[in-house]
Amino acid sequence: MRIGLFATCLGDTLFPDAVKATAVLLARLGHEVVFPPEQTCCGQMHVNTGYQREPVPLVRGFAEQFGDAAIDAVVMPSGSCAGSVRHQHEIIAERYGDRALRAAVTTVKAKTYELSEFLVDVLGVTDVGAHFPHRVTYHPTCHSLRMLRVGDKPLRLLRAVDGIDLVELPEADSCCGFGGTFAVKNAATSSAMLHDKVGHITGTGADICTAGDSSCLMHIGGGLTRIKAGTRTLHLAQILAATRTAPYAPTEAVR
Amino acid sequence: MSRTFLGMPATPPRAPYGEGNLRGDAAFPRAAEGELRNEQLRRNLGRATHTIRAKRLAVTGELPDWEQLRDAGSALKTDTMNRLPELLEELERKVTERGGTVHWARDGVEANAIVARLIEATGSDEVIKVKSMATQEIGLNEHLESRGITPYETDLAELIVQLAHDKPSHILVPAIHRNRDEIRQIFLKEIPGVDPSLDAVPAHLAAAARAYLREKFMTTKVAVSGANFGVAETGTLSVVESEGNGRMCLTLPETLITVMGIEKVIPRYQDLEVFLQLLPRSSTGERMNPYTSMWTGVTPGDGPQEFHLVLLDNGRTAALADKVGRAALHCIRCSACLNVCPVYERAGGHAYGSTYPGPIGAVLTPQLAGMHAAKDDPNSSLPYASSLCGACFDACPVKIDIPSLLVELRHQKTEQSGTTPEKLAMKAAAGVMKRPKLYTAAQKAAGLGRVLGGRDGTISHLPPPFSGWSDSRDTPAPPRQSFRAWLASDEGAATLQGAADEGARQRAAAHDDPEEQR
């Protein structure tokens, strides 16, 4: 399969290891990974903060970069960016776009996937040949859970990882308090939510808290390092990319 | 198409500024900070919302057709809103035929005046009230007091709130922010003739309230209620409740005045079948609420002999004019969205500044009362009082897509806010992101931000407006190299080739030895 990899602006700029892992994993599974070079951002932050005119060029850019019929599927290591493409791009195109943009958005939306749903639903794999001998707990991010409805797909992928010690996170489905600009605009309420999430995570005794979104992991990780917790965050793709021959090795700063 | 210009109807009015309880004093973030420091509130809210969540999930999960019921409720509400005028006129006709009198109130000011005039006409200077969101919304109690009429709330929690000169903090559990010792103090201070040795045992507190209220039920000649449903087909009004105080108010007085938001009309009597299943299960987590009262006009010799229905607009027509926002009018006031909301759970109801708190309040209040009525209108902060986690949408018995409504109202806010520093920043960000070369250059510049990181590669202090973020979170310094730079490097190409080769070896090995198949 020819897969167009969308790095997401956050992944490309701040969390490249999660995107590298996604590319490595898809290549290992025997697929051709292409990176349309002019991709930037899906515009989610704009839309969620109330700005719908400004992201029109971003929506158009995404559709142009990935609309190519030679790309069979568009995959991204982010539930919220996939949610934006699938649920918000149409709203923007409908309101501020033209007929061509509306058509382009519909086309690209139909082949856009978050990583775990692409692996399980499209490729039909749960065991991706990963080896990860650590204690891990999984936080289902809100947009992957309630916007994309990925359900237990990430957990099925994790359960199939060789050597993993997967522990359940209490109140897993409650929001970590990130919500994009929410964490800045309503920092005190967001902190109260983060405090409870971090408490549940450290209570599991896990070495690693994983999720399918670098943004939520940035938030949770920021709370964990602030209290100098023993748990660190790692994107789901990084666990699935790790093997016996190419084990996980932290290269980014501990976060 | 006709070439004749037919004209556009005038924009329907919002609830008048400064009247009623649809606007707080402070924007949500500031109002929430005070509440977040209230440990009692945090504990009570956490306990109560978790308990109700579990009960709700149990009684909604046991129904095999729960999702179909939600779809039915949603479809009925959509249909109702699509033909609201004709249904309201049908309701008026049926109520009048059955001996009731219908009054139309454009806003809270008109509704308050109508109710006060009707009470004064009976010669009574006091009324008993069954819990009603609509009369709380319009500030009826405050208005009646200004006219020398004393309203008595008869729902236990509403009574506590009223005696404490306080405001409800939850649709369903209005006194959730009070503990039993506080309630004892309130009763000792405010209930005339209460036993001074009253202790804080819940049953004793309830008994003290009951003794006080029984006397009011037996002696007061006028009652004011809200309505959960008004059936257009038959003119039947309905109130659902748990304590029986509603039944007392609706049957004992000589005159009954019901204030009903116009969106509470439902087309047919049969539609109650859907809503009377959805409401209690979503609300209190009960299969059936203890008391369901229904009445149709006046029944000679039985119950109130005078019945008035006040139909309240107060911004509802304005909400109806918004093709996205109008879905907020589907709300049946169950409070399920409050109980699952992580923001409500921490900040509490008062932070929203409105009769309608929580996720539904964040989309309903700005539509009823507007969010641009004054500079820095507190209501304009409400659509942002959410992390867009979506738990409310999943819980809503009539499937109101609250996250999408929040995003829509945020857009309306930015459209009407003129030029702000935030808008300039958003324009600048989009300006960079739509130019891939500029974006790549900006990524390289961001890499220079590594100097901000301490020895552990994290940034622990940021300037405003990000200082609230950095108060409790570290931020990673940008990495040495972006993904696209890595991918274009020799290392990137070699790594991907290595992964492809390893995968090929794994598949070949699995092919040779099916036991090893992954």
Side-chain angles (χ1 to χ4, degrees):
Chain A
M1 221 179 210
R2 196 157 194 261
I3 299 165
L5 175 62
F6 180 53
T8 80
C9 61
L10 190 79
D12 189 8
T13 309
L14 283 182
F15 300 96
D17 286 355
V19 194
K20 291 176 200 174
T22 307
V24 162
L25 174 64
L26 294 172
R28 197 176 75 215
L29 292 171
H31 301 280
E32 184 190 354
V33 179
V34 295
F35 183 81
E38 303 212 332
Q39 60 172 283
T40 58
C41 166
C42 67
Q44 181 193 181
M45 177 187 74
H46 288 90
V47 179
N48 284 349
T49 312
Y51 297 88
Q52 297 192 4
R53 296 176 192 272
E54 292 76 5
V56 172
L58 306 182
V59 171
R60 193 183 303 279
F62 184 89
E64 282 172 2
Q65 287 294 300
F66 293 98
D68 187 348
I71 293 178
D72 300 316
V74 186
V75 176
M76 57 200 73
S78 166
S80 65
C81 299
S84 173
V85 173
R86 294 231 294 255
H87 294 271
Q88 296 182 332
H89 282 197
E90 258 175 1
I91 296 171
I92 304 303
E94 204 56 52
R95 184 174 265 167
Y96 294 119
D98 46 37
R99 187 193 296 255
L101 183 60
R102 286 194 280 276
V105 160
T106 308
T107 304
V108 78
K109 166 188 160 168
K111 58 176 180 180
T112 293
Y113 303 93
E114 177 272 339
L115 177 62
S116 73
E117 54 178 18
F118 177 73
L119 294 171
V120 175
D121 292 345
V122 180
L123 297 186
V125 292
T126 47
D127 185 343
V128 295
H131 173 71
F132 195 82
H134 304 278
R135 174 173 274 213
V136 175
T137 194
Y138 168 73
H139 165 67
T141 64
C142 298
H143 288 180
S144 57
L145 196 65
R146 286 179 282 264
M147 210 176 200
L148 297 180
R149 306 278 170 196
V150 301
D152 68 346
K153 286 164 205 165
L155 282 169
R156 281 156 65 193
L157 290 161
L158 286 168
R159 284 189 204 114
V161 170
D162 181 38
I164 198 168
D165 174 15
L166 190 63
V167 289
E168 194 183 330
L169 178 65
E171 297 195 26
D173 62 358
S174 67
C175 177
C176 73
F178 178 57
T181 50
F182 170 78
V184 176
K185 286 175 182 282
N186 283 285
T189 305
S190 168
S191 292
M193 291 158 70
L194 176 62
H195 176 266
D196 293 345
K197 178 59 70 180
V198 163
H200 287 307
I201 291 169
T202 52
T204 64
D207 310 315
I208 302 284
C209 171
T210 191
D213 270 275
S214 291
S215 53
C216 310
L217 288 173
M218 172 176 76
H219 186 237
I220 294 169
L224 286 168
T225 63
R226 177 57 57 91
I227 62 163
K228 309 213 181 316
T231 312
R232 58 161 300 178
T233 52
L234 198 65
H235 195 283
L236 174 68
Q238 290 170 270
I239 294 177
L240 300 180
T243 59
R244 280 181 195 279
T245 47
Y248 156 70
T251 55
E252 288 172 29
V254 173
R255 54 184 65 134
Chain B
M1 265 179 70
S2 166
R3 288 186 147 274
T4 313
F5 179 64
L6 298 171
M8 284 294 287
T11 310
R14 307 275 179 190
Y17 191 85
E19 299 286 339
N21 297 306
L22 288 174
R23 186 174 273 102
D25 302 324
F28 186 87
R30 199 154 65 79
E33 274 184 41
E35 301 289 307
L36 284 164
R37 281 193 289 270
N38 184 340
E39 289 294 323
Q40 178 75 48
L41 175 68
R42 288 276 298 278
R43 262 197 311 277
N44 288 3
L45 274 175
R47 224 181 357 243
T49 54
H50 279 77
T51 308
I52 299 178
R53 267 181 226 175
K55 283 177 70 180
R56 185 181 62 80
L57 286 175
V59 297
T60 58
E62 73 184 11
L63 284 189
D65 61 346
W66 180 249
E67 288 307 312
Q68 287 92 320
L69 274 172
R70 289 177 77 207
D71 286 333
S74 174
L76 285 168
K77 284 293 182 182
T78 303
D79 172 50
T80 299
M81 297 312 147
N82 286 346
R83 52 195 185 100
L84 194 57
E86 66 179 72
L87 290 173
L88 288 169
E89 286 175 12
E90 187 183 358
L91 177 68
E92 178 186 39
R93 209 162 46 239
K94 294 294 176 183
V95 169
T96 309
E97 276 173 22
R98 295 296 300 266
T101 308
V102 175
H103 309 260
W104 298 79
R106 183 193 311 264
D107 55 31
V109 176
E110 283 190 11
N112 284 337
I114 291 166
V115 175
R117 179 167 50 75
L118 292 171
I119 297 167
E120 283 161 0
T122 68
S124 177
D125 61 359
E126 49 184 25
V127 289
I128 46 175
K129 285 188 70 208
V130 54
K131 175 178 162 51
S132 141
M133 304 300 296
T135 61
Q136 170 70 23
E137 168 192 326
I138 62 179
L140 177 66
N141 287 6
E142 294 89 325
H143 179 74
L144 294 182
E145 281 161 10
S146 78
R147 300 270 290 251
I149 300 166
T150 309
Y152 296 101
E153 293 290 348
T154 64
D155 176 275
L156 179 55
E158 290 286 342
L159 174 70
I160 294 165
V161 168
Q162 186 186 33
L163 291 176
H165 311 289
D166 198 357
K167 283 187 176 173
S169 64
H170 188 286
I171 290 180
L172 187 72
V173 203
I176 198 167
H177 55 295
R178 297 285 185 182
N179 65 26
R180 63 181 73 163
D181 291 315
E182 289 176 298
I183 293 166
R184 171 175 168 269
Q185 291 300 332
I186 294 164
F187 281 7
L188 285 175
K189 183 156 164 265
E190 300 287 340
I191 294 183
V194 74
D195 179 359
S197 66
L198 177 68
D199 59 26
V201 174
H204 299 166
L205 293 171
R210 179 180 287 123
Y212 172 67
L213 289 173
R214 281 291 148 123
E215 194 244 327
K216 299 295 171 203
F217 288 133
M218 301 306 289
T219 57
T220 310
K221 297 189 183 325
V222 188
V224 173
S225 85
N228 290 100
F229 309 102
V231 183
E233 177 186 52
T234 57
T236 304
L237 278 296
S238 178
V239 163
V240 300
E241 40 118 11
S242 296
E243 297 173 18
N245 61 305
R247 177 70 52 83
M248 299 267 196
C249 287
L250 298 167
T251 53
L252 289 173
E254 293 169 6
T255 300
L256 172 61
I257 304 164
T258 297
V259 181
M260 179 183 113
I262 54 174
E263 83 284 20
K264 291 273 163 276
V265 68
I266 58 173
R268 298 165 305 171
Y269 194 81
Q270 192 189 348
D271 302 332
L272 287 169
E273 170 196 345
V274 173
F275 293 114
L276 290 178
Q277 291 185 78
L278 289 173
L279 183 54
R281 287 180 194 257
S282 301
S283 178
T284 48
E286 294 169 301
R287 295 186 175 112
M288 185 85 221
N289 48 288
Y291 293 87
T292 301
S293 299
M294 291 191 231
W295 69 99
T296 310
V298 171
T299 305
D302 185 11
Q305 294 302 292
E306 203 178 323
F307 171 57
H308 297 273
L309 175 63
V310 181
L311 293 172
L312 175 73
D313 188 320
N314 211 35
R316 285 160 175 79
T317 304
L320 192 66
D322 187 312
K323 69 177 181 179
V324 179
R326 67 190 303 176
L329 296 176
H330 296 188
C331 173
I332 58 173
R333 311 284 187 261
C334 72
S335 75
C337 65
L338 278 64
N339 296 326
V340 299
C341 177
V343 173
Y344 177 87
E345 182 187 338
R346 273 77 181 191
H350 289 154
Y352 296 79
S354 164
T355 295
Y356 305 108
I360 189 63
V363 294
L364 190 59
T365 303
Q367 295 200 83
L368 294 180
M371 52 180 170
H372 306 281
K375 194 180 178 313
D376 298 326
D377 187 335
N379 279 356
S380 71
S381 67
L382 292 180
Y384 292 91
S386 165
S387 64
L388 303 179
C389 87
C392 48
F393 185 17
D394 277 9
C396 179
V398 292
K399 292 195 169 175
I400 302 172
D401 183 356
I402 295 176
S404 291
L405 265 63
L406 288 164
V407 168
E408 169 64 21
L409 291 175
R410 290 176 185 189
H411 182 51
Q412 292 179 15
K413 195 254 176 182
T414 65
E415 286 287 292
Q416 293 185 46
S417 294
T419 304
T420 60
E422 181 186 276
K423 186 177 281 184
L424 293 174
M426 286 289 170
K427 277 186 192 299
V432 171
M433 284 164 172
K434 73 182 180 192
R435 296 181 183 83
K437 285 202 180 84
L438 194 55
Y439 172 77
T440 311
Q443 281 184 324
K444 289 187 180 131
L448 302 175
R450 290 172 68 75
V451 299
L452 296 173
R455 250 181 316 185
D456 58 355
T458 63
I459 303 164
S460 47
H461 296 289
L462 288 167
F466 304 105
S467 45
W469 163 279
S470 62
D471 280 349
S472 50
R473 304 159 189 86
D474 291 333
T475 308
R480 187 172 52 83
Q481 196 181 32
S482 68
F483 170 74
R484 67 182 64 204
W486 175 83
L487 189 68
S489 70
D490 293 344
E491 184 200 337
T495 306
L496 286 190
Q497 188 56 53
D501 294 345
E502 185 186 354
R505 274 195 307 277
Q506 279 182 358
R507 280 187 296 277
H511 187 73
D512 293 344
D513 179 5
E515 287 296 301
E516 281 288 302
Q517 190 143 15
R518 288 186 174 277

